[in-house]
Structures are given as C-alpha cells and as structure tokens.
C-alpha cells in the first residue's frame, strides 16, 4: 500500500538513530562491556538496579506486542526506553559514578554494556544496519542475525530502586526548570542546600549536584530563593547568578 511520509517523520527517525549512535559511542568510550556475568543485583546501586528492572519490563512488553503483531506499539516501547530512559536519564545519572571511578564504576560499565547489548538486539528487526554496526563493535560478536533474542521470562521487580530514581528525576527536573525560569545559564554553577534527602536517596546527592551544577553551601551560605519538590526543599544563593535588570524587565512584562 501507499504510505504517507512526512519530512518531519524522517527527521525524527534520523534524530533517534543519531541519539542511539552517540549513546553507544559514549558508552564504549567509558568502558561499557559484556565481559563475564552481570554483577549480582544486590551489590549494585539503585540507578543500575532501576535500569535493569526497566530493561526487563521493556523486553517483556516488546515480546508480547511483537507476538501479537502489534509492531508499531512494540517499536514505540523500544523507542521510549532507548531515548527517555537510557539516553536522557541513565547515561546522565551514571556520569558521576564514572567520574569517581573504582569498583562501583566497573559494575556500572558492565551493566551499561548489558543494557546496550539487549537494546540493540530488540532494535535489530526494525533497524538492522545501525544495530548490527553498534552491536558488533560493542560485543565483538559475529552478527546480530545469529544472536539470541533477549529473554523476557523473568522480570525482577525493584520498587525501592524505582522509587529512588523517580525522586531523583523529579528533583532534577524541577531544579532545571527553576534555573531556566530564572534565566541562569546551564553552565553556571549555583550554591544550594538540598533538604529532605534521607535514607537510600541520601547517597545520590553528589550525582544530583553533578547534573544540575549545584555547589555545596559554605558557612556563609545566604539563601535568596527556594523551591519545594514533594518532600524535598532546595535553598539557592543566587548572588551574582541573575541578570537583575533583565529579570525585572521580564517580570514587568
């Protein structure tokens, strides 16, 4: 049958291919690999456990949709997992881990390699050339054509990891929104105090600060603004960070 193709649709597909290519390149540059078994999940941090749980769910959902001939919905499941969760969140959240290095970073490299390996297998039926090039580079395998399809039988639920990462996502999103609303450059560092990070979430304060460019407060910390995000409160010292004249003009307008 004739198909309606819009340039915007083709551009969107190109952008997705570029996103996956760049994500895979970033992963391999940072040592992502498929060597040896995956570390036991009980030894992983919440971010790695979260992405593995979401990968399990994506494989199961995609498998079911492909088995029932819902190919468009299956591809949409893969698309959102790749773009929204792997590229936009997971790769960002693990940058602090890579920066610190050590045994924790080695585990994350193995998890990242596994996630990409499985994702590229899922993509292969509908994006054969891109996935083949990236998969063989990542794994050193002969070809995706003869590789095993991902196993969707076991889905390990991890509500604690899902909750911790969900809190991080909400907090990071609202801090970024606040910075944008205040006209603060994305490259500018701002001093802030974060309240409410308790329990498992407390160990990821450095990762949050790394992503939203927040410095630790000193003894002379003098907050001039704050935002509340659920149970969290973030106090900012915006001294020198805001163009007062431009901000006044914006508010008057």
């Amino acid at each position: 049958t004739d198909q309606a193709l819009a340039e915007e649709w083709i551009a969107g597909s190109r952008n997705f291919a570029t996103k996956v290519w760049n994500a895979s390149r970033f992963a391999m540059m940072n040592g992502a690999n498929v060597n040896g078994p995956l570390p036991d999940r009980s030894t992983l941090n919440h971010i790695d456990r979260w992405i593995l749980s979401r990968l399990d769910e994506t494989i199961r959902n995609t498998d079911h949709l492909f088995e029932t001939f819902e190919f468009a919905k299956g591809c949409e499941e893969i698309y959102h997992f790749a773009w929204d969760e792997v590229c936009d969140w997971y790769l960002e959240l693990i940058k602090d881990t890579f920066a610190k290095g050590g045994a924790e970073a080695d585990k994350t490299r193995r998890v990242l390699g596994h996630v990409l390996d499985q994702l590229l297998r899922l993509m292969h039926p509908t994006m054969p050339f891109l996935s083949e090039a990236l998969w063989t580079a990542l794994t050193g395998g002969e070809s995706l054509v003869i590789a095993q399809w991902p196993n969707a039988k076991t889905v390990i639920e991890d509500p604690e990891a899902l909750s911790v990462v969900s809190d991080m996502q909400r907090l990071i999103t609202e801090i970024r929104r606040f910075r944008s609303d205040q006209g603060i450059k994305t490259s500018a560092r701002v001093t802030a105090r974060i309240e409410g990070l308790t329990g498992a979430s407390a160990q990821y304060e450095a990762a949050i600060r790394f992503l939203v460019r927040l410095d630790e407060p000193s003894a002379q910390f003098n907050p001039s603004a704050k935002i509340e995000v659920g149970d969290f409160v973030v106090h900012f010292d915006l001294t020198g960070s805001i163009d007062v004249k431009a901000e006044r003009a914006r508010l008057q307008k």
Side-chain angles (χ1 to χ4, degrees), residues 119-140:
L119 173 61
L120 292 169
R121 292 174 195 238
L122 289 176
M123 288 170 53
H124 188 60
T126 46
M127 298 183 74
F129 304 108
L130 179 92
S131 57
E132 175 80 2
L134 293 175
W135 187 83
T136 51
L138 172 70
T139 66

Side-chain angles (χ1 to χ4, degrees), residues 156-193:
I156 300 175
E157 303 289 347
D158 197 336
E160 184 187 27
L162 294 174
S163 175
V164 167
V165 173
S166 176
D167 285 343
M168 292 175 69
Q169 289 173 323
R170 284 191 297 119
L171 189 54
I172 289 167
T173 299
E174 290 306 316
I175 292 172
R176 283 174 170 167
R177 182 176 292 126
F178 172 79
R179 289 178 58 116
S180 176
D181 290 345
Q182 299 300 319
I184 301 170
K185 293 180 181 177
T186 53
S187 59
R189 301 199 66 83
V190 175
T191 304
R193 182 174 66 238

Side-chain angles (χ1 to χ4, degrees), residues 13 15-24 50-51 54-55 57-59 62 74-92 112 115-124 126-127 130-131 134:
S13 300
N15 292 344
F16 176 66
T18 303
K19 190 88 169 176
V20 174
W21 185 276
N22 288 339
S24 301
W50 165 75
I51 199 65
R54 286 295 304 119
L55 173 65
E57 193 175 346
T58 300
I59 293 171
T62 303
C75 290
E76 192 173 347
E77 187 84 19
I78 298 168
Y79 173 91
H80 286 296
F81 174 71
W83 190 301
D84 300 342
E85 293 176 311
V86 175
C87 296
D88 281 358
W89 280 112
Y90 183 60
L91 293 183
E92 292 297 310
L112 176 56
V115 170
L116 274 180
D117 170 26
Q118 298 296 293
L119 173 61
L120 292 169
R121 292 174 195 238
L122 289 176
M123 288 170 53
H124 188 60
T126 46
M127 298 183 74
L130 179 92
S131 57
L134 293 175

Side-chain angles (χ1 to χ4, degrees), residues 171 174-176 178 225-229 232-236:
L171 189 54
E174 290 306 316
I175 292 172
R176 283 174 170 167
F178 172 79
K226 74 172 184 178
I227 59 170
E228 296 183 14
V229 186
F232 308 109
V233 181
V234 187
H235 299 269
F236 300 91

Side-chain angles (χ1 to χ4, degrees), residues 3-15:
Q3 297 290 321
L5 288 178
E7 285 187 25
E8 294 82 5
W9 188 84
I10 299 296
S13 300
R14 177 202 60 195
N15 292 344

